[in-house]
Amino acid sequence: MISKTDHNDAIEAPSVKAKSKAQFQQPQLLSKANSQLSFHESMILGPDFFQVDALVLAPRLLGKFLRRDEVVLQITEVEAYRPNDTACHGRFGITARTAPVFGPGGHAYVYLCYGLHTMLNVVADKEGVGAAVLIRSCAPIRGLETIQQRRGQNTEKPVLLTGPGKVGQALGISTEWSNHPLFTPGGLEILDGPEPEKILIGPRVGIEYASPEHVSALWRFAVAGCPWIRKPSKTLFFREF
DNA sequence: GTACTGATTGGCT
DNA sequence: GCCAATCAGTACC
């Protein structure tokens, strides 16, 4: 089920595919990018979109839009976390913190990392599975002033949301947003967006504690040729779809 | 109850 | 490249 949400721009179903080859702009061309990536024509993605294996959902989330009020971000880098994955928070089983991970796909899972950073995940797969996709990086599309205020940046600097902590900060979310549905209008939403032309894959970041096969698993996905990706990009390489 | 750690970031050398 | 910040969650006694 897909529903239209944008109250101001109630246009007919957009030709999302037609825009799918839209180029991702350099930071200094942000204003131009805004006019080209017409997120406002996009529709909210329904629960079915999310209720697939995290490895399937992760690359599909690239290019999609995250919206909270006036702030709109475009997803450029993600990581998949799966059941029986020694790097997944679900490995602890259902706890107060991880309960949303085991809920039905399409909800947010937000947790605090290092006591300071709020990390946004999109819960994947069916209820009870325990899978999620971490949103690692985003391109800012709308609400630059709000983002800069939240990040304490001056307006001269480009807004680079190249890391999960920065994404959470730009959206202004806290752990209270954990378990929030992403497929209902209002609050935090995920909207359809253009598919990236090429995708990079590589190993996930910061999970050295996991078992070797999970440390080396290529479950990190990023939009190729896009500046909003956490470095080092050496660990990422092309994957043709 | 206490101890340890982390899906990070930004500043300093 | 190195390291401190900062605290909820988990493990263990």
Side-chain angles (χ1 to χ4, degrees), chain A residues 190-202:
Chain A
I190 292 186
L191 307 170
D192 202 359
E195 285 175 25
E197 200 165 343
K198 283 187 176 178
I199 291 177
L200 301 169
I201 63 170

Side-chain angles (χ1 to χ4, degrees), chain A residues 14-80:
Chain A
S15 52
V16 171
K17 288 284 179 188
K19 297 178 185 298
S20 67
K21 301 306 178 190
Q23 292 296 307
F24 287 83
Q25 304 297 314
Q26 296 298 312
Q28 60 268 32
L29 299 177
L30 268 180
S31 58
K32 205 168 185 178
N34 288 351
S35 63
Q36 291 181 356
L37 299 167
S38 45
F39 79 91
H40 57 280
E41 294 178 4
S42 298
M43 297 182 296
I44 278 196
L45 294 163
D48 291 348
F49 176 84
F50 304 97
Q51 294 181 8
V52 295
D53 190 300
L55 271 182
V56 174
L57 177 63
R60 285 185 187 171
L61 282 174
L62 296 176
K64 302 292 184 282
F65 298 104
L66 263 171
R67 176 169 68 182
R68 185 191 167 201
D69 300 328
E70 77 274 19
V71 171
V72 177
L73 311 179
Q74 189 170 32
I75 300 170
T76 56
E77 185 183 355
V78 296
E79 284 177 358

Side-chain angles (χ1 to χ4, degrees), chain A residues 167-179:
Chain A
V167 172
Q169 199 176 21
L171 290 169
I173 55 172
S174 65
T175 53
E176 293 177 1
W177 285 82
S178 207
N179 211 31

Side-chain angles (χ1 to χ4, degrees), chain A residues 83-175:
Chain A
N84 303 316
D85 174 1
T86 52
C88 182
H89 283 187
R91 71 188 184 277
F92 300 118
I94 300 176
T95 67
R97 179 176 71 153
T98 64
V101 178
F102 292 88
H107 290 74
Y109 166 52
V110 184
Y111 71 94
L112 193 65
C113 186
Y114 289 94
L116 359 147
H117 306 294
T118 50
M119 317 282 268
L120 173 63
N121 292 248
V122 176
V123 176
D125 226 310
K126 310 287 183 192
E127 183 165 9
V129 172
V133 177
L134 171 70
I135 309 297
R136 287 202 62 88
S137 302
C138 288
I141 303 297
R142 289 270 173 106
L144 287 181
E145 286 186 14
T146 303
I147 295 170
Q148 281 169 323
Q149 280 174 6
R150 287 173 176 161
R151 301 217 61 234
Q153 280 188 327
N154 69 52
T155 52
E156 303 298 315
K157 291 183 179 177
V159 176
L160 290 171
L161 305 177
T162 53
K166 298 175 188 176
V167 172
Q169 199 176 21
L171 290 169
I173 55 172
S174 65
T175 53

